[in-house]
Amino acid sequence: STSPRRKTLLTQIGLSFIVEPSSIHEDFTIDLAPEDFAQHYAKQKAMDISYRNHDSLVIGADTIVVLGNRILGKPKNATESYDMLTSLSGTTHTVMTGVSLQAKSLEIDHTFIEKTKVQFKELSDIEINYYIENYEPFDKAGSYGIQDWFSVCVEKIEGCFYNVVGFPLSAFYKEIDNIFGT
């Protein structure tokens, strides 16, 4: 992953790692339920890197925002960003991160999902436009970052805050502990 937020979060918990982006590109027309979509692409990304790094533990992740059954990825431009934020205004949506752990030499092939519910306040056009113009959220699923100015628009979350930032640290630690022990 090239996500600067994931890099910061993994560094925060003391991991030493090398960032190697995969060549996998998401196809939003694929017919998968949101949970399966996030896990599918997390695993595809991790396997892509794992094939070239047999002796390494590879972590792949894919975060999506889900409103109803609609998957919101990263907006391509300001218009898509505006449309996403308008659709999320005053609603509760789910942030899902699929995480895949792959290590060929250790025969590790483990993928899981973490879900967090996020409730937004009603957003005004002024707030949406301000956010897009000043924070350019084009590299963020759902077109927002809970860790930046947009935090003032979040009324409530149920679940892991770090999952919304981009990587579910607590669930990841639990899964690693289950695989390797403490």
Side-chain angles (χ1 to χ4, degrees):
S1 172
T2 57
S3 166
R5 292 164 299 281
R6 285 195 187 115
K7 183 176 180 183
T8 298
L9 292 173
L10 292 173
T11 301
Q12 176 178 312
I13 61 170
L15 286 186
S16 176
F17 57 90
I18 296 168
V19 174
E20 188 174 334
S22 82
S23 60
I24 302 298
H25 297 285
E26 295 172 352
D27 175 5
F28 285 89
T29 65
I30 191 169
D31 188 24
L32 292 174
E35 296 91 345
D36 297 331
F37 181 95
Q39 290 182 91
H40 170 79
Y41 280 108
K43 185 171 183 173
Q44 292 298 308
K45 293 173 185 178
M47 289 174 60
D48 180 48
I49 301 305
S50 186
Y51 286 129
R52 297 187 298 271
N53 299 279
H54 291 269
D55 295 327
S56 299
L57 174 64
V58 176
I59 304 165
D62 190 61
T63 300
I64 57 173
V65 169
V66 181
L67 181 60
N69 280 327
R70 188 173 137 218
I71 297 172
L72 304 178
K74 298 173 185 172
K76 294 181 183 76
N77 53 46
T79 301
E80 279 191 16
S81 181
Y82 181 87
D83 291 345
M84 283 184 190
L85 292 173
T86 300
S87 71
L88 293 170
S89 175
T91 69
T92 299
H93 61 275
T94 305
V95 176
M96 297 182 190
T97 302
V99 178
S100 186
L101 308 171
Q102 301 290 322
K104 298 292 178 202
S105 64
L106 299 174
E107 297 182 358
I108 295 172
D109 177 357
H110 182 69
T111 304
F112 65 95
I113 188 94
E114 182 71 11
K115 300 176 189 178
T116 304
K117 291 192 178 298
V118 181
Q119 181 179 330
F120 283 0
K121 70 181 196 89
E122 289 287 337
L123 305 171
S124 70
D125 282 348
I126 292 170
E127 290 169 320
I128 292 171
N129 289 319
Y130 171 83
Y131 184 67
I132 294 168
E133 290 168 16
N134 291 282
Y135 291 88
E136 300 179 343
F138 310 123
D139 67 335
K140 297 172 178 72
S143 193
Y144 75 93
I146 195 169
Q147 72 282 2
D148 62 28
W149 179 87
F150 204 81
S151 61
V152 301
C153 301
V154 176
E155 289 186 333
K156 182 167 113 176
I157 69 167
E158 293 177 31
C160 178
F161 169 81
Y162 294 107
N163 187 45
V164 183
V165 175
F167 195 78
L169 291 177
S170 181
F172 170 73
Y173 183 81
K174 179 181 173 188
E175 298 293 331
I176 288 291
D177 191 45
N178 285 340
I179 293 169
F180 294 108
T182 357

